[in-house]
Amino acid sequence: PIVSFGNLMTEGTTLSRRGQHDKALGCFNEALKLRAGDKHCLITRSKCFLKLGDAENSLKDAEASLEIDNAFSEGLYQKAEALYTMGDFEFALVFYHRGRRLRPDLHKFQLGIFKAEEAIINCIGNPSLVKLESKEELCFVSRQAERKKDNQKQQNKPKDQKDQKQTKKQSPKTEQQLLGQLYADKAYLEKLLKDEDLMQSSTRQGIKVMDLVLGGISYLNQRRDFWQQQKPMYARAYERKVLRQGRMQDKKQKPSDIARSIAKNMEDIELMLARGSAEESCRKAERLLKMIQGWSENEVPNRNELIGNLHSCIGNAQLAMGQMEAALRSHKMDLDCARENSLTDAVSRALDNIGHVYARIGKFQQAINTWEEKIPLAQSSLEKAWLFHEIGRCYLELDKAEVAQDYGQKSLQSADEEGDVEWQLHATVLVAQAQVKLKDYQSAILTFERALEKAKLVPSEAAQNGIIA
């Protein structure tokens, strides 16, 4: 098949989702050869570098995307993330703030501000307790500049000093505090290394057990170093001191503290649902909703937006638990809240979820009506590809094959614009199935053959077998 920019991007994204970041990086490098300076590809590669632990190259790609478009929100966020990973919390905070000013609707910038502020406080303590004495000239130097100086000093050091530094190990007590529950996993992996017979064996896929064990230990060491950088021991001692003093006891929480607490709870709710703990996620979301409803707009500036978001989280959890009617009520509350407060993105989200519930319970016409209302709010070709596909699928369920075919073609057109092979595959299969219903068998065969080529590009063995059948 002809290798195109869209195909390489799709393959790289798929590999990255599977955790094969090295292979994904190769795809993004090839894609950038075909379309040099594509800001979206640069950001995708930047994310890949960050997952591989290469924060410096991640930062370079983020900065390159901003040179092309200085108002590119994804570029600002990725630069902030790279700086944060490098321990440059102050500059990361600057770029999180820039991103929020540009896109206040994106919740991730607010979360970034919270975590950067928390990391700074963990390092220096409460700003109100820090006093600077201007004895000499003061200047603001980033951690990047400090790192360059350190590297120069490191090069000038004798070799034996370098080796001594590299062999220095964390004490078991310190390491246990940093890794927490993962310390037991690391100890177990280190114990496995002593079993020589096991280390020489291989898995069914031909991977050496020793490589897997060493990879696990290396990963845990990287996490340990990162957590020490993000929240070092002296910062933890500071936290314990604050807790002992009981500063926040019998005092009203400040708005910034409330916002930080809400952001942490929202993150936990989404994480629980992603891990399959729908019931726990639902309970936590309901408790947080009651708390926020008891606060004023002064205490929580984005109160109405959060209430709608929590209704959405509760609805998603109820859907995962099979409580369809309850999920529908929750998502309709989200929609009402979004319309009352003119929150366009929230309206789009609510319509998306309501249509999904209707489709799940077999009310296909209601799902179509809801999703058709969402079409003008779709912000990207990829979102339209998904939306047209779902509407077409519902029409197919209602035996309206001609309309289903039209929506399949629309979905395919949007997927082509985005260069997404996976959605090109879904749309092509939908068109072929509609042609079968219309008894246009010759066209259906040709369309299924095109779908088979797409399935080989994804690649999906299950899809290939289904299409052949």
Side-chain angles (χ1 to χ4, degrees), residues 248-267:
M248 297 309 294
Q249 285 182 2
D250 303 321
K251 289 185 181 179
K252 193 175 181 181
Q253 280 187 298
K254 294 176 184 176
S256 60
D257 296 328
I258 292 172
R260 196 173 288 116
S261 171
I262 290 170
K264 178 68 175 66
N265 281 319
M266 290 296 292
E267 198 174 342

Side-chain angles (χ1 to χ4, degrees), residues 43 78 365 393:
I43 284 305
Q78 195 57 29
Q365 191 57 55
R393 178 66 55 195

Side-chain angles (χ1 to χ4, degrees), residues 289 293 306-315 330-331 333-334:
L289 180 61
Q293 286 170 337
L306 282 167
I307 287 172
N309 202 349
L310 282 165
H311 281 306
S312 177
C313 290
I314 291 166
S330 295
H331 288 310
M333 284 186 195
D334 179 25

Side-chain angles (χ1 to χ4, degrees), residues 175-220:
E175 195 166 50
Q176 191 168 6
Q177 284 180 302
L178 286 165
L179 287 173
Q181 294 178 349
L182 292 175
Y183 180 75
D185 297 326
K186 191 182 177 210
Y188 175 71
L189 290 173
E190 287 173 342
K191 188 178 177 183
L192 284 180
L193 277 177
K194 295 175 183 176
D195 188 338
E196 292 181 8
D197 293 335
L198 179 64
M199 290 303 102
Q200 294 304 317
S201 63
S202 300
T203 64
R204 289 179 182 176
Q205 289 77 25
I207 304 167
K208 273 199 167 185
V209 173
M210 180 181 277
D211 293 338
L212 290 171
V213 172
L214 289 173
I217 292 170
S218 172
Y219 172 77
L220 290 170

Side-chain angles (χ1 to χ4, degrees), residues 59 68 88 210 240 349 439:
L59 181 62
I68 298 159
D88 211 341
M210 180 181 277
R240 287 194 294 272
R349 175 190 66 209
K439 298 183 179 179

Side-chain angles (χ1 to χ4, degrees), residues 12 38 56 58 105 125 160 209 232 234 261 274 323 349 390 410 413 436 468:
D38 183 89
E56 290 191 7
S58 175
D105 55 310
D160 59 341
V209 173
Y234 57 80
S261 171
Q323 299 171 5
R349 175 190 66 209
E390 294 303 293
K410 287 180 183 177
Q413 187 180 347
V436 171
I468 291 164

